Each structure stands twice: as structure tokens, then as C-alpha cells.
Amino acid sequence: MKNFSWLFVIVLALSVSKVSAQTVATIGLGDINYKVDSDAANSRNGDATRASFARQLSLLLLDTRKFKLLDSYQLKQKLAEHELTPADYYQGDLDSAAYEMTGLDYILTGSITEFGIFERSTGPEGSEVGVAEADLRLIATSYGSEDASVTATAQLLPEAGSTETNKAEVLDQTLLQLGNDAIEQMMAVLFPLRVMKISEQGLVSLNYGQGLLAVGDTIQVFERASASNNGAVESGPPQGAVIATLEVVSTSTKFSTARILDGADRLERGLKAEIL
């Protein structure tokens, strides 16, 4: 029985290690503010909206399987252990030690700047559109990381003659689209889609798995940036010309496989890509 117990502990430790190895950064969820100043119809309570958006960001970040996440309460508790607060990082006047002792890589903060159902400036008279916008900031809290900003947007058209219930659903879906757009942009900055391996059979392994890619997705692969950084791995979203096109044929927890549609002769490991 003792041998079995030790075996179980070893297997559990290996499993935890494998899961931890999937994550590439630890993100703390900071303040999400509501700074909407408009006369949009069917807007909502600011506190409820920003709380809902923060929950969506948390779930979407976890769904990527690439980040360890501290929610707002956990972040404040973690920083309080070192007599710090999120506001200390927002102001950016901390000494170097504060960026090493917390074990964080980024704090995510920002504001919803537009949210509601508006009359469309084009189209039939009286037609409406659900609109949401957010300015988000990733504050780097460890050396080797850089601050990043994203502006996420979403628009969704209600069905003609929508009821108030339908419009409420439109707002829910618009907010969800806003979260998806924000996460896609953050992933492009922090963890770009890349070609990991090319098999002799012409199949390409990609570093995104379920939750980020789906079977049938079309992928554009970009040429390598100029080698002015002495061969270092480039960070940030892809740049340059598209040199190949792929189609995702299968996904797993951590990786996906794609077939080559064109550009096979120019593909190589490490190239950046994006979903079309």
C-alpha cells in the first residue's frame, strides 16, 4: 500500500508539472473600470457591466491554457504580502525589487469606454447596433516583459423589431465579443501563433490548441522579420508578407495540426501566423 501511495504522489507531481509547463505567464486581474459617457439606449449599470466583463476576461484567459491567473482578490492578497497594491504598479514608480518578488508577469487593467445599443448612422432609418469598446493595458511586472496596450471593439446587429429581451441578449453577446477580441489581441502580443514543426507528410504543428483554434480555421503564415535582433525570438504580433496558407485539421489541448494549402516551399519552424 505504501508503494502504491508513493506511486500516486509521483504521478500526481508529474501531472501538475505538465500542466504548469503549459503556462507562459502569470497575469493578475486588476481594476476594470466603466467610463462610458453616452446617451445610448439600453445601456446598463456600470458596476454590473464591468464585473461581468472582468469575469469574461478571466474565463477567456483560462480557456487559452497558456496563463496562470490571479483574480482581483487573489492579486490584492498577493501584493499585500509585500505591502504593495495594484495602484503602485499603475503609477509605475516602484523600485526594481518590487518587480521580482511578487512572481507576477503582468497586471491586466483598463476601462470599458463604450457600451450600449445605438442608432446606426447608415442603413435603414431606425436601425440599431450593439457597440462595445474597451481600452486595456497589460502592465509588465517582471524583467524581460514589456507593457502592452490593446483597444478591443465589438458590434452586433439586433434583429429587426427586436424586443427589450432580445436587446438585452444583444448586449450580452456584444460584451462577449468584446472579451474575445481583447484576448485575441493579447495572445498575439504575449504568445503569438507559430509554426512548431513540419512533417514529411506535409502536416504543420501549431502552438495553439483547443479554445484558440478550431478545425476548419484558415491560418496565414508570415515571413520572418529581418534578423536585426541577432537571432532572438521575436515578440509581438506578426509583421511582413504572407508566405503560406494553412487549414486546421485537428486540435488537442496544447497543439493543433494543419494541412498546407499553399506556400509549402517557404514554410519553416518558428514562423509567426494568424487566424484569417
Side-chain angles (χ1 to χ4, degrees):
M1 185 65 181
K2 285 185 177 180
N3 290 338
F4 176 81
S5 298
W6 277 110
L7 179 61
F8 175 77
V9 170
I10 292 171
V11 170
L12 179 61
L14 288 173
S15 299
V16 171
S17 176
K18 185 175 180 182
V19 171
S20 298
Q22 296 179 26
T23 60
V24 295
T26 299
I27 296 178
L29 185 60
D31 296 318
I32 302 297
N33 303 303
Y34 189 80
K35 295 184 177 180
V36 175
D37 182 18
S38 71
D39 55 358
N42 299 91
S43 192
R44 286 186 176 167
N45 175 273
D47 288 339
T49 301
R50 65 185 181 85
S52 177
F53 186 53
R55 285 193 298 271
Q56 286 184 9
L57 290 175
S58 297
L59 293 173
L60 290 168
L61 281 169
L62 291 173
D63 280 348
T64 68
R65 298 180 173 88
K66 300 301 179 185
F67 304 108
K68 180 179 179 182
L69 182 70
L70 301 182
D71 63 27
S72 179
Y73 175 78
Q74 292 170 326
L75 173 64
K76 290 174 181 176
Q77 291 292 104
K78 179 76 171 176
L79 296 181
E81 294 173 5
H82 305 284
E83 299 182 349
L84 296 168
T85 69
D88 294 324
Y89 287 92
Y90 303 160
Q91 295 162 6
D93 56 358
L94 294 171
D95 60 35
S96 59
Y99 289 89
E100 290 296 317
M101 61 188 178
T102 61
L104 289 168
D105 295 297
Y106 296 95
I107 293 177
L108 175 59
T109 184
S111 302
I112 299 171
T113 56
E114 197 72 271
F115 186 60
I117 294 181
F118 297 80
E119 283 194 20
R120 298 175 65 189
S121 56
T122 60
E125 185 177 350
S127 59
E128 299 174 317
V129 59
V131 176
E133 295 182 3
D135 290 330
L136 299 174
R137 181 179 167 211
L138 282 161
I139 302 173
T141 57
S142 63
Y143 286 116
S145 301
E146 297 181 356
D147 289 1
S149 298
V150 300
T151 298
T153 61
Q155 291 191 6
L156 192 65
L157 296 176
E159 295 180 3
S162 292
T163 64
E164 293 305 310
T165 300
N166 295 143
K167 290 179 180 179
E169 292 174 355
V170 167
L171 288 174
D172 289 339
Q173 291 302 310
T174 303
L175 200 62
L176 180 58
Q177 282 189 12
L178 184 69
N180 282 322
D181 185 58
I183 297 303
E184 286 179 10
Q185 292 189 53
M186 282 188 269
M187 286 295 293
V189 172
L190 301 182
F191 191 71
L193 178 61
R194 290 184 185 274
V195 172
M196 303 297 291
K197 184 172 66 174
I198 306 165
S199 73
E200 294 180 356
Q201 294 75 31
L203 294 176
V204 179
S205 294
L206 302 166
N207 63 334
Y208 279 18
Q210 295 167 355
L212 295 173
L213 291 178
V215 172
D217 281 348
T218 300
I219 307 298
Q220 292 183 325
V221 183
F222 291 77
E223 64 183 356
R224 192 178 299 279
S226 59
S228 58
N229 52 4
N230 298 320
V233 175
E234 316 141 25
S235 61
Q239 298 177 351
V242 175
I243 60 170
T245 308
L246 315 174
E247 181 185 25
V248 177
V249 295
S250 67
T251 61
S252 64
T253 302
K254 294 172 60 179
F255 303 105
S256 296
T257 301
R259 67 185 182 97
I260 303 171
L261 299 180
D262 60 63
D265 58 327
R266 300 189 64 184
L267 278 176
E268 58 182 273
R269 290 181 59 185
L271 291 179
K272 290 183 181 180
E274 69 177 16
I275 306 169
L276 185 62

